[in-house]
């Protein structure tokens, strides 16, 4: 079996292929099928996100605006290659961070990127009905929800009831942090611990466990640095160990 990397279809090249298809009189279904044609395995999906983020943080993002025919092609259905469980923080625009266009990512956003019933059901939908190849739990620098989980129980008790429930899902990740004097480093460790915990919670869910076992998907983590624009990927088992 050939394990050589499959070059990612760059956004500009994808636009050219779509325009060529339109000129040839391709149907809307043909145009829709062009999207993500080069992303067919979890490894391809990881490379696509890594390459897209490299373009983003280096200032070379190339997501083209959709033309009329490309927009109409979206009506045929969606074929995202990855699902992302991300924080709702306004500084973390997921599609921009990975330099991906319409229909390429299936994004679930909730404060603290925590696993809850609605988010889990949404990810299960992505696996069963959209055939995604990858799930990424992405935390980020300066996460307010994780910072709240570091507060005292008395301070947390002052928060609204439903926010307390989110914080409660994060608390186990930060209760045994090693002593770190640098506040920024301590926050990074807390966020990454939370990412690891959410990844492992997902992996214990039946639908996700079966999809991973079959090779349909991988579940990985990521840490987005707001300042640099770079995503550190947590891919290997050692990276994801709780």
């Amino acid at each position: 079996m050939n394990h050589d990397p499959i070059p990612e279809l760059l956004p500009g090249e994808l636009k050219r292929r779509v325009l060529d298809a339109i000129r040839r009189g391709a149907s809307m279904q043909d145009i829709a099928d062009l999207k993500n044609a080069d992303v067919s395995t979890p490894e391809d999906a990881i490379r696509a996100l890594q390459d897209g983020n490299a373009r983003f943080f280096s200032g070379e993002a190339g997501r083209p605006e959709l033309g009329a025919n490309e927009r109409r092609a979206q009506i045929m259905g969606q074929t995202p290659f990855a699902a992302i469980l991300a924080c709702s923080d306004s500084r973390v625009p997921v599609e921009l961070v990975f330099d991906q266009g319409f229909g390429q990512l299936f994004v679930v956003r909730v404060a603290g990127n925590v696993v809850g019933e609605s988010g889990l059901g949404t990810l299960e939908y992505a696996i069963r009905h959209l055939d995604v190849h990858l799930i990424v739990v992405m935390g980020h620098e300066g996460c307010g929800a994780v910072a709240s989980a570091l507060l005292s129980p008395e301070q947390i008790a002052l928060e609204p009831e439903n926010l307390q429930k989110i914080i409660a899902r994060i608390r186990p990740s930060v209760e045994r942090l090693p002593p770190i004097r640098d506040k920024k480093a301590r926050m990074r460790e807390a966020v990454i611990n939370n990412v690891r915990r959410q990844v492992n919670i997902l992996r214990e869910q039946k639908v996700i466990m079966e999809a991973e076992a079959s090779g349909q998907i991988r579940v990985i983590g990521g840490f987005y640095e707001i300042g640099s624009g770079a995503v550190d990927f947590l891919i290997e088992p050692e990276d994801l160990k709780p």
Side-chain angles (χ1 to χ4, degrees):
M1 182 181 294
N2 182 11
H3 292 284
D4 293 338
I6 301 173
E8 184 196 0
L9 188 62
L10 296 177
E13 294 170 352
L14 176 58
K15 187 176 183 67
R16 283 191 290 275
R17 284 196 188 182
V18 170
L19 290 175
D20 287 343
I22 292 169
R23 294 188 187 102
R24 294 195 307 270
S27 68
M28 291 300 163
Q29 184 63 59
D30 292 335
I31 295 169
D33 289 344
L34 277 174
K35 182 165 49 62
N36 303 332
D38 288 349
V39 184
S40 57
T41 69
E43 289 69 31
D44 294 342
I46 292 170
R47 279 195 297 272
L49 294 183
Q50 289 174 326
D51 291 347
N53 179 243
R55 292 192 300 272
F56 173 74
F57 77 75
S58 63
E60 298 177 358
R63 292 185 311 116
E65 293 184 7
L66 291 181
N69 284 292
E70 293 166 286
R71 284 197 303 273
R72 293 187 190 111
Q74 301 290 312
I75 298 171
M76 302 304 301
Q78 58 173 320
T79 55
F81 66 81
I84 316 289
L85 173 57
C87 183
S88 297
D89 195 296
S90 61
R91 301 165 295 176
V92 189
V94 178
E95 288 86 353
L96 297 181
V97 166
F98 291 113
D99 193 29
Q100 301 298 322
F102 284 75
Q104 293 179 296
L105 300 181
F106 193 74
V107 181
V108 181
R109 299 186 65 169
V110 61
N113 43 271
V114 296
V115 178
E117 289 184 3
S118 297
L120 178 58
T122 304
L123 294 174
E124 289 174 345
Y125 177 85
I127 292 169
R128 287 287 179 87
H129 299 284
L130 302 178
D131 195 31
V132 296
H133 305 299
L134 183 69
I135 293 176
V136 183
V137 178
M138 189 170 77
H140 67 91
E141 180 180 14
C143 180
V146 173
S148 295
L150 292 168
L151 297 174
S152 69
E154 293 76 18
Q155 291 171 303
I156 293 172
L158 298 176
E159 298 290 356
E161 179 182 355
N162 289 307
L163 178 52
Q164 288 186 46
K165 291 178 181 178
I166 290 176
I167 294 171
R169 294 179 186 274
I170 301 171
R171 283 280 287 180
S173 306
V174 303
E175 287 178 333
R176 293 186 179 86
L177 279 181
I180 302 173
R181 295 182 66 180
D182 183 275
K183 290 183 179 180
K184 184 175 180 180
R186 187 167 186 265
M187 265 299 298
R188 179 187 175 94
E189 187 70 14
V191 170
I192 290 178
N193 276 0
N194 182 50
V195 167
R196 291 183 178 125
R197 175 175 169 78
Q198 304 308 321
V199 165
N200 284 283
I201 289 173
L202 286 177
R203 282 182 153 164
E204 294 171 355
Q205 308 307 311
K206 183 175 185 292
V207 172
I208 294 175
M209 188 184 300
E210 290 175 350
E212 262 207 306
S214 72
Q216 176 190 341
I217 67 165
R218 288 184 67 179
V219 185
I220 67 171
F223 176 83
Y224 173 59
E225 294 182 344
I226 294 175
S228 70
V231 174
D232 290 336
F233 288 82
L234 308 174
I235 298 173
E236 302 305 324
E238 187 65 29
D239 299 331
L240 295 166
K241 188 181 296 184

